[in-house]
Amino acid sequence: MKTITLIRHAKSSWATQHLDKQRPLSSRGILDAHKIAEEIQLFLPKTFTIYSSTAKRATETAMIFTQIFSCPIESIIFSDDLYTFDHLQLEKFVKSCEDRYDNIILFGHNDAITNFVNKFGNNFIENVPTCGCVSINFEENSWQTIENGKIQKVIFPKDLKYYDSINRV
């Protein structure tokens, strides 16, 4: 059995002029990342492998999560191949993962994440928002052969109690 937890990077800042790949997280994004990480650590498997896009907003999100999970930041595997908005490229990446990894946490971008979830999950999700998390289980024993997964958990920032009380930036 294989499990992938897809996490869209947290909300990025548009306050300064940066190239897309260099945009940092906004203050709201940082808060969302902390809250979502605290929530999902309750249902994570004992062992997992973490992959992240090399875009600054994704790497910062992944680093916050690893801190909450008490994992070394060095355990994150950064890949330029995950700086993609195309679900076919994301699918290619996932299907190339080593089978010795049964549980993957992946930090990436939309539209790739939403379209991947809708292709491989059993429930339609209109949009995975920033810092949204979707976990999918597959019966297959090889990443290369994954097909019809079952969504196990969906957590979006708006689903958490604190969300209504924050100042929306």
Side-chain angles (χ1 to χ4, degrees), residues 4 17 23 27 31 35 41 44 47 52 61 68 74-75 87-88 95 102 107 114 116 124 126 131 137 140 152:
I4 187 166
Q17 298 292 324
R23 280 189 289 118
S27 57
L31 179 61
K35 294 295 185 184
Q41 75 175 343
L44 288 177
T47 60
S52 176
T61 303
I68 299 292
E74 298 78 26
S75 66
H87 75 281
L88 296 175
K95 287 188 171 190
D102 289 330
F107 293 87
T114 296
F116 183 95
F124 178 79
E126 185 174 336
C131 214
N137 284 354
E140 292 83 4
Q152 296 298 305

Side-chain angles (χ1 to χ4, degrees), residues 94-152:
V94 172
K95 287 188 171 190
S96 72
C97 288
E98 295 181 39
D99 287 333
R100 66 186 171 120
Y101 303 134
D102 289 330
N103 304 299
I104 291 175
I105 299 173
L106 189 146
F107 293 87
H109 307 272
N110 246 6
D111 293 329
I113 287 180
T114 296
N115 291 333
F116 183 95
V117 165
N118 288 328
K119 179 174 182 177
F120 290 99
N122 60 325
N123 297 324
F124 178 79
I125 296 176
E126 185 174 336
N127 179 55
V128 176
T130 52
C131 214
C133 169
V134 179
S135 183
I136 305 173
N137 284 354
F138 298 94
E139 291 297 323
E140 292 83 4
N141 291 317
S142 173
W143 290 109
Q144 291 178 343
T145 60
I146 60 169
E147 287 185 12
N148 300 315
K150 183 175 181 186
I151 294 177
Q152 296 298 305

Side-chain angles (χ1 to χ4, degrees), residues 47-59:
T47 60
F48 49 83
T49 302
I50 302 171
Y51 289 100
S52 176
S53 160
T54 53
K56 186 169 184 161
R57 59 196 182 273
T59 63

Side-chain angles (χ1 to χ4, degrees), residues 52-71:
S52 176
S53 160
T54 53
K56 186 169 184 161
R57 59 196 182 273
T59 63
E60 288 179 346
T61 303
M63 288 180 194
I64 290 169
F65 276 69
T66 58
Q67 289 170 344
I68 299 292
F69 299 162
S70 298
C71 294

